[in-house]
Amino acid sequence: MKTFLPPFAGFVVFAVIVLLQSIIFPIHLGDMGQGSLHAFMACFYYFWPLYFITALLTQYVIVLPVWEIAHSWSMVGKDAAVTVLGLICTGFAGAIAYIIWDEQTGWLHLADMAVQMLLIQLAYWIINFFMLGLIVGGKIKLKHKAKPATE
């Protein structure tokens, strides 16, 4: 449950945004690689199963162990973990933006893409940790079927 539900919630939010956006601005396979937010949405639209599998693996291998360890930390340790996550997101956002950036569009376009990528990542992680908090805090529980009494 902790492995599946948080990434699923994040992906549902982004899927709704991409699907609503695709009604206004249709998404085509040729839209990818343009270095824009629409191109990024096209990649999500066509490759979401691959991204979701990656999110599940990341959740299981990295996020859950850090989440379990961080519960025993002090508030300063938890703040440090959030800060490190923010720095990692910033680094990845800058790297992704730089990879898809076309130098002819200028440095301002690079900065704009980096900010967009950062906001997308931070929104995903906020949703992810919010769902993890609900699950661990007991707000979301699985209902188990009652077994019939045998005599």
Side-chain angles (χ1 to χ4, degrees):
M1 179 98 157
K2 289 189 279 187
T3 302
F4 180 79
L5 193 56
F8 180 75
F11 269 74
V12 166
V13 169
F14 288 129
V16 167
I17 292 169
V18 169
L19 288 175
L20 290 175
Q21 181 77 10
S22 69
I23 292 170
I24 299 168
F25 303 106
I27 294 176
H28 304 289
L29 193 59
D31 293 338
M32 293 184 288
Q34 296 176 355
S36 66
L37 187 58
H38 183 72
F40 190 72
M41 288 180 162
C43 286
F44 182 85
Y45 185 83
Y46 288 105
F47 293 110
W48 71 265
L50 178 63
Y51 293 155
F52 187 66
I53 290 170
T54 304
L56 290 176
L57 289 172
T58 302
Q59 187 78 7
Y60 183 73
V61 174
I62 299 170
V63 175
L64 288 179
V66 171
W67 179 269
E68 296 297 327
I69 292 169
H71 270 293
S72 63
W73 292 350
S74 68
M75 196 60 182
V76 173
K78 291 177 184 175
D79 288 344
V82 169
T83 302
V84 168
L85 175 67
L87 291 173
I88 291 171
C89 286
T90 302
F92 276 122
I96 292 168
Y98 185 76
I99 289 169
I100 64 174
W101 172 57
D102 183 11
E103 290 183 37
Q104 296 173 352
T105 59
W107 287 97
L108 187 59
H109 185 248
L110 174 64
D112 182 49
M113 283 194 317
V115 168
Q116 289 176 358
M117 298 297 165
L118 178 62
L119 292 175
I120 290 168
Q121 288 184 51
L122 290 178
Y124 172 79
W125 286 113
I126 288 169
I127 294 166
N128 192 315
F129 289 135
F130 177 74
M131 291 302 295
L132 266 175
L134 289 178
I135 293 168
V136 172
K139 304 289 185 199
I140 297 177
K141 294 183 181 180
L142 289 175
K143 292 183 180 179
H144 299 287
K145 291 184 177 181
K147 293 183 181 180
T150 56
E151 295 180 25

